[in-house]
């Protein structure tokens, strides 16, 4: 038998020339107690029974710091368990070995209560003076249970990796890398956007201004392409694209090389806005460092996921835990009046939408002093997508919520909103937003689940101007039974939900509305083998 423990004790390798052929690798992040238990159990049992059922086990643990040396393990398990005690205990182990070899797993009584942890196992053994055979059965059953548990987490781990990789498709990642590369090697990719003579147009209120914040170049290109194609006045259109520092070179390259003329595009990274400082957005850092947020987004993704889940549900759960939901790009829209101090009106777009009709009429709507032109989501033909009230988003068992809000109040949607920034500047919307973010952090995130909509629902109360639902159709990312006729007629379709059109889990019959705005003859897109749903379908068929 071979036993190797890494210096930090984060990983242990056990190889044995006996026993059932098996091999496993388990990697665990962030304090999972049950795995530490498995670790100790495997270790102890390997010492006890050199013929352990596990031929090779590699258990990797991170964040284990309480017990960091063999010595400490020895103390924990007691000298007898390590077989270093008297000759008696050495003989005991030999006898156990013999008996255990005779025990067949079929002998496990169904009512046998197995311990959940190694310490339970120890106290069970201490408290009940089992005879040797009972003890052996008990031990073997426990071991097999632990073995099963390790196998299950191994499986979950593999699934997890598979779907996590699918969440950022290779093609989109490749596109971003190649465009970044282009930025450093090709002067055309670096040319100023828009050209200097057009800079004044960026704050010209006779133009239609669209704001889009995303780190997905392909999605941004679809939004911009579809908007330009459907616009009756593309030459009077300005797109303000905001991305993160990492994606900036790629995003800039794309729109510098393929400007959607005659529309005007500006690309900015969050690092280029002087206004976005810690003093102005104090809560964001707090959100990212809050322990509950960290646990939810950065913790062990295997925990809470179910190996027997449908792959689409499994992937959705993983996606919902993506750290991108706490990023600044997501909260950015609450700072529009400050980010665009000279503009009076903007339309803010999500990156998972497609524009199918001219949106110019939205600019002429009289919003009667309201700030946010949005589609209300509490009534509509689709009973599932359009049945959202405050009670959908908030925890009304919490007194802070129930004392301040009405569960029946209608909700509205982000995705395509027309914002009257002049009216907004006269309100305290941002302060209210910050106040409630802090309240939720103070109450350990029990006021609402994650996301940027709930605090916005509160902050924009009384400032909503309901627009006709045909302007913005929701649910294409979580609803397979979407009405295709309505999809064709809607001005903007929104793939909200986890099944984004650029993911493998996207609904195949809804993807063409999105992919028809992807230019598959473009070299970057071709060379990155970005999924063409038609070819993909044929491959699979
Ligand atoms: C996992 O899913 C199966 C079937 O859907 C269900 O029976 C089981 O209780 C679930 N387990 C957990 C831990 O949610
Ligand atoms: C929030 O959770 C932490 C750790 O779980 C706990 O110490 C603290 O008391 C909780 N605070 C509230 C207000 O529940
Ligand atoms: C809702 O609030 C109650 C009261 O504070 C709390 O006990 C409960 O855990 C909260 N529910 C969720 C899902 O956070
Ligand atoms: C697609 O990309 C190619 C190459 O970049 C370009 O020549 C062509 O005009 C583009 N087509 C459309 C419809 O944008």
């Amino acid at each position: 038998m071979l036993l190797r423990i890494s210096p930090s004790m984060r990983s242990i390798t056990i190889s044995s020339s006996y026993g059932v052929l098996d091999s496993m690798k388990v990697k665990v992040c962030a304090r999972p107690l049950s795995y530490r238990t498995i670790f100790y159990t495997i270790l102890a049992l390997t010492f006890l029974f050199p013929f352990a059922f596990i031929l090779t086990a590699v258990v990797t643990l991170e964040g284990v710091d309480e017990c960091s040396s063999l010595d400490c393990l020895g103390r924990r398990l007691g000298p007898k368990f390590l077989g270093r005690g008297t000759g008696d205990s050495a003989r005991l182990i030999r006898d156990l070995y013999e008996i255990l070899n005779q025990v067949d797993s079929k002998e496990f009584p169904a009512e046998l209560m197995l311990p959940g942890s190694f310490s339970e196992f120890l106290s069970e053994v201490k408290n009940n003076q089992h005879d040797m055979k009972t003890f052996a059965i008990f031990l073997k059953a426990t071991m097999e249970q632990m073995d099963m548990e390790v196998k299950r987490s191994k499986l979950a781990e593999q699934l997890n990796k598979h779907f996590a990789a699918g969440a950022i498709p290779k093609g989109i990642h490749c596109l971003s890398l190649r465009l970044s590369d282009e930025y450093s090697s090709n002067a055309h990719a670096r040319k100023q956007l828009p050209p200097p003579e057009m800079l004044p147009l960026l704050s010209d209120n006779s133009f239609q201004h669209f704001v889009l914040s995303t780190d997905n170049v392909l999605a941004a290109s679809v939004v911009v392409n579809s908007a330009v194609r459907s616009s009756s006045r593309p030459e009077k259109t300005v797109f303000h694209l905001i991305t993160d520092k990492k994606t900036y070179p790629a995003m800039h390259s794309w729109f510098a090389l393929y400007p959607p003329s005659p529309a005007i595009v500006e690309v900015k990274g969050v690092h280029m806005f002087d206004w976005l400082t810690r003093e102005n957005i104090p809560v964001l850092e707090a959100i990212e460092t809050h322990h509950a947020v960290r646990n939810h987004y950065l913790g062990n993704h295997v925990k809470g996921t179910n190996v027997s889940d449908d792959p689409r549900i499994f992937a959705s759960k993983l996606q919902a835990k993506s750290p991108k939901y706490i990023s600044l790009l997501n909260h950015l829209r609450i700072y529009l009046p400050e980010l665009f101090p000279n503009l009076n009106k903007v339309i803010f777009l999500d990156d998972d939408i497609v524009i199918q009709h001219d949106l110019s009429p939205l600019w002429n709507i009289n919003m009667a002093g309201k700030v946010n032109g949005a589609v209300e989501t509490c009534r509509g033909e689709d009973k599932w997508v359009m049945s959202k009230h405050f009670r959908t988003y908030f925890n009304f068992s919490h007194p802070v919520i129930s004392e301040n809000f009405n569960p029946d109040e209608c909700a509205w949607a982000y995705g395509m909103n027309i914002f009257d920034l002049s009216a907004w500047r006269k309100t305290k919307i941002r302060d209210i937003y910050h106040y409630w973010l802090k309240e939720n952090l103070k109450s350990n995130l029990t006021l609402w689940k994650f996301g940027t909509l709930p605090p916005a629902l509160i902050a924009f109360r009384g400032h909503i101007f309901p627009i006709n639902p045909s302007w913005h159709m929701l649910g294409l990312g979580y609803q397979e039974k979407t009405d295709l006729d309505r999809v064709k007629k809607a001005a903007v379709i929104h793939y909200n939900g986890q099944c984004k059109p650029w993911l493998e889990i996207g609904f195949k019959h809804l993807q063409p509305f999105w992919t028809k705005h992807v230019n598959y003859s473009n070299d970057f897109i071709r060379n990155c083998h970005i999924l063409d749903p038609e070819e993909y379908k044929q491959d699979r068929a």
Side-chain angles (χ1 to χ4, degrees):
M1 187 193 64
L2 185 77
L3 180 75
R4 215 171 44 229
I5 300 178
S6 76
S8 61
M9 226 193 76
R10 284 178 172 201
S11 101
I12 169 171
T13 308
I14 304 161
S15 329
S16 159
S17 49
Y18 304 89
V20 182
L21 189 75
D22 192 7
S23 141
M24 59 188 149
K25 194 180 171 80
V26 180
K27 191 180 164 70
V28 184
C29 307
R31 303 178 294 126
L33 283 177
S34 59
Y35 297 129
R36 192 159 70 200
T37 307
I38 293 170
F39 177 92
Y40 288 132
T41 309
I42 292 175
L43 195 62
L45 295 178
T46 310
F47 273 106
L48 267 175
F49 306 106
F51 61 91
F53 308 121
I54 301 147
L55 183 68
T56 306
V58 181
V59 181
T60 308
L61 292 123
E62 276 170 20
V64 177
D65 40 27
E66 282 169 34
C67 197
S68 61
S69 71
L70 254 187
D71 222 34
C72 157
L73 259 185
R75 271 206 311 281
R76 199 185 156 94
L77 302 173
K80 284 187 184 159
F81 263 89
L82 293 179
R84 293 205 220 109
T86 61
D88 278 354
S89 72
R91 198 168 55 244
L92 178 74
I93 288 168
R94 230 183 7 256
D95 293 349
L96 258 176
Y97 175 104
E98 303 260 289
I99 291 173
L100 206 67
N101 248 352
Q102 296 159 13
V103 173
D104 191 283
S105 62
K106 287 189 195 81
E107 282 182 47
F108 295 160
E111 71 281 359
L112 190 65
M113 291 289 291
L114 294 175
S117 69
F118 189 62
S119 49
E120 272 178 45
F121 172 77
L122 284 185
S123 64
E124 167 76 27
V125 172
K126 248 186 258 164
N127 297 341
N128 301 297
Q129 299 286 323
H130 294 304
D131 63 50
M132 200 59 130
K133 182 145 184 187
T134 314
F135 175 73
I137 292 174
F138 184 62
L139 184 61
K140 188 162 173 181
T142 304
M143 249 172 98
E144 295 201 341
Q145 180 190 253
M146 298 289 183
D147 185 41
M148 280 296 291
E149 205 177 312
V150 173
K151 271 191 194 132
R152 265 200 295 274
S153 36
K154 178 180 70 168
L155 180 61
E157 163 81 8
Q158 283 167 350
L159 277 172
N160 182 352
K161 278 211 193 100
H162 176 77
F163 288 111
I168 314 159
K170 274 204 218 72
I172 290 178
H173 187 61
C174 157
L175 185 66
S176 204
L177 288 181
R178 290 193 183 208
L179 286 166
S180 298
D181 206 36
E182 198 71 9
Y183 187 79
S184 44
S185 60
N186 178 351
H188 288 296
R190 279 195 306 273
K191 72 174 177 234
Q192 199 177 339
L193 257 187
E197 67 274 15
M198 289 192 173
L199 281 178
L201 306 183
L202 295 180
S203 46
D204 183 335
N205 279 299
S206 70
F207 279 64
Q208 297 174 0
H209 295 267
F210 291 90
V211 182
L212 170 66
S213 86
T214 181
D215 59 358
N216 183 335
V217 180
L218 189 65
S221 83
V222 167
V223 173
V224 171
N225 277 351
S226 66
V228 171
R229 274 192 209 171
S230 355
S231 174
S232 62
R233 305 163 70 200
E235 71 288 351
K236 293 293 270 182
T237 305
V238 181
F239 293 95
H240 304 266
L241 291 175
I242 307 174
T243 191
D244 54 20
K245 196 171 175 179
K246 174 176 72 49
T247 318
Y248 174 77
M251 195 70 84
H252 188 281
S253 295
W254 179 266
F255 288 100
L257 295 172
Y258 311 110
S261 48
I264 296 155
V265 176
E266 166 191 48
V267 178
K268 280 199 147 184
V270 280
H271 57 293
M272 298 155 90
F273 286 96
D274 298 333
W275 189 85
L276 290 173
T277 59
R278 278 221 174 117
E279 301 89 80
N280 289 327
I281 44 170
V283 282
L284 288 180
E285 201 197 349
I287 292 174
E288 287 173 17
T289 51
H290 191 274
H291 65 93
V293 178
R294 292 191 66 82
N295 283 351
H296 185 83
Y297 289 105
L298 311 170
N300 181 1
H301 280 195
V302 174
K303 224 160 54 189
T305 47
N306 189 337
V307 181
S308 47
D309 272 347
D310 171 79
R312 182 170 270 134
I313 296 172
F314 190 84
S316 296
K317 282 187 190 167
L318 286 171
Q319 265 240 311
K321 289 177 141 217
S322 158
K324 85 175 226 182
Y325 290 94
I326 50 173
S327 83
L328 177 57
L329 282 181
N330 256 295
H331 288 272
L332 210 60
R333 50 195 142 198
I334 209 70
Y335 307 115
L336 286 173
E338 287 81 14
L339 299 182
F340 299 98
N342 299 313
L343 295 182
N344 297 336
K345 251 185 193 178
V346 301
I347 287 186
F348 191 95
L349 302 169
D350 280 5
D351 64 359
D352 49 358
I353 60 145
V354 174
I355 297 170
Q356 310 192 117
H357 293 313
D358 184 24
L359 298 183
S360 301
L362 280 178
W363 299 88
N364 303 325
I365 290 180
N366 178 2
M367 292 184 23
K370 302 290 189 196
V371 173
N372 179 353
V375 166
E376 289 187 320
T377 48
C378 64
R379 51 191 150 251
E381 287 170 35
D382 191 324
K383 290 285 172 290
W384 193 30
V385 176
M386 304 297 270
S387 58
K388 307 281 197 279
H389 296 86
F390 270 36
R391 82 171 82 81
T392 318
Y393 296 99
F394 297 98
N395 178 4
F396 274 91
S397 317
H398 202 292
V400 173
I401 293 293
S402 55
E403 280 162 19
N404 285 287
F405 307 104
N406 173 4
D408 295 320
E409 191 163 333
C410 192
W412 48 270
Y414 267 147
M416 196 277 293
N417 304 75
I418 179 148
F419 289 112
D420 184 331
L421 301 185
S422 317
W424 188 338
R425 291 190 185 97
K426 295 179 195 136
T427 69
K428 297 214 172 304
I429 288 171
R430 171 165 56 100
D431 297 336
I432 298 171
Y433 187 87
H434 280 171
Y435 172 83
W436 282 97
L437 276 185
K438 278 187 215 151
E439 283 296 300
N440 197 27
L441 286 175
K442 266 198 265 170
S443 18
N444 274 349
L445 310 180
T446 52
L447 302 189
W448 62 78
K449 282 185 263 159
F450 302 88
T452 54
L453 183 60
L457 288 175
I458 297 176
F460 283 105
R461 272 202 318 159
H463 299 294
I464 298 296
F465 181 84
I467 57 175
N468 191 301
S470 67
W471 281 115
H472 177 191
M473 178 179 180
L474 291 140
L476 277 74
Y478 72 113
Q479 154 94 308
E480 190 158 15
K481 294 193 198 78
T482 305
D483 177 351
L484 285 182
D485 283 332
R486 286 188 50 235
V487 172
K488 284 173 198 151
K489 286 184 198 139
V492 171
I493 50 173
H494 190 174
Y495 293 80
N496 61 316
Q498 310 298 343
C499 304
K500 301 298 183 203
W502 55 83
L503 298 180
E504 268 194 43
I505 57 171
F507 298 114
K508 297 290 173 262
H509 64 298
L510 298 176
Q511 271 176 330
F513 295 95
W514 188 82
T515 50
K516 75 176 181 198
H517 298 287
V518 176
N519 182 350
Y520 287 103
S521 42
N522 177 281
D523 284 345
F524 287 99
I525 291 183
R526 257 210 338 266
N527 293 339
C528 282
H529 303 290
I530 284 175
L531 203 70
D532 180 339
E534 286 313 310
E535 287 171 19
Y536 176 67
K537 245 188 282 178
Q538 280 156 17
D539 284 353
R540 284 263 167 128

